[in-house]
Amino acid sequence: MNRRRPDGIDPVARTRARRRALQAVYAWQMSGAPVREILAQFAHEQAREHADLAYFEDLVTGVDTHLKDIDEALLPFLDRTVEEVDPIERAGLRIAAYELRHRLDVPYRVVINEAIESVKKFGTEHGHTYVNGVLDQAAADWRAAEVSAARG
């Protein structure tokens, strides 16, 4: 069965890439290892899982490259400092913030849903509700026209 959309994107491979990126960003946050080492550790597993390796790498390097901007942009929507957010939730928020701000080709609803599902899978019992609340506010600000059009 061909899962690819007409634009060539395989949504299942993208979902796998996002979940692996969440794990990689979490590992990077916890270890402080250089991103290239984290990417090398995860790359061989990506190939076996038939994930979108290029997208995985874009997410992880995008978070690293734009970390200061991402954290500053998230701050108005948080009820604590970025560093005080649970590490899995923080990784999910950083990845989603990168996508919302730098991957305008990905619809905001997809970004939010994928972040929620990833945090549900790897995070605390109610962590996904926090992520949802933060990202709903952020998307309404950062992608106001897209959110307004979707809400009618």
Side-chain angles (χ1 to χ4, degrees), residues 53-99:
L53 183 58
Y55 203 72
F56 162 78
E57 289 180 0
D58 180 60
L59 294 175
V60 176
T61 58
V63 167
D64 179 44
T65 301
H66 300 283
L67 185 63
K68 186 175 186 232
D69 168 64
I70 288 168
D71 285 356
E72 287 175 2
L74 282 169
L75 206 49
F77 309 108
L78 302 175
D79 60 355
R80 59 196 93 157
T81 68
V82 175
E83 291 305 317
E84 291 173 322
V85 174
D86 172 83
I88 286 289
E89 294 166 21
R90 184 179 342 129
L93 287 169
R94 284 173 165 169
I95 291 165
Y98 168 73
E99 283 189 286

Side-chain angles (χ1 to χ4, degrees), residues 21-38:
L22 180 77
Q23 293 172 308
V25 170
Y26 172 82
W28 169 68
Q29 291 173 160
M30 300 308 286
S31 71
V35 166
R36 67 183 176 280
E37 287 180 21
I38 299 294

Side-chain angles (χ1 to χ4, degrees), residues 35-147:
V35 166
R36 67 183 176 280
E37 287 180 21
I38 299 294
L39 288 173
Q41 290 171 6
F42 280 80
H44 73 282
E45 294 174 30
Q46 284 294 106
R48 282 189 314 200
E49 290 184 7
H50 304 290
D52 185 333
L53 183 58
Y55 203 72
F56 162 78
E57 289 180 0
D58 180 60
L59 294 175
V60 176
T61 58
V63 167
D64 179 44
T65 301
H66 300 283
L67 185 63
K68 186 175 186 232
D69 168 64
I70 288 168
D71 285 356
E72 287 175 2
L74 282 169
L75 206 49
F77 309 108
L78 302 175
D79 60 355
R80 59 196 93 157
T81 68
V82 175
E83 291 305 317
E84 291 173 322
V85 174
D86 172 83
I88 286 289
E89 294 166 21
R90 184 179 342 129
L93 287 169
R94 284 173 165 169
I95 291 165
Y98 168 73
E99 283 189 286
L100 287 170
R101 294 173 70 79
H102 298 279
R103 292 300 308 242
L104 302 181
D105 57 311
V106 181
Y108 85 94
R109 286 182 172 169
V110 171
V111 172
I112 293 173
N113 186 58
E114 292 280 334
I116 291 166
E117 292 304 317
S118 292
V119 171
K120 270 186 190 176
K121 183 172 176 79
F122 299 108
T124 62
E125 185 177 355
H126 298 291
H128 67 281
T129 58
Y130 182 72
V131 167
N132 185 33
V134 170
L135 293 178
D136 276 345
Q137 292 177 67
D141 185 47
W142 301 337
R143 293 200 186 178
E146 182 184 356
V147 170

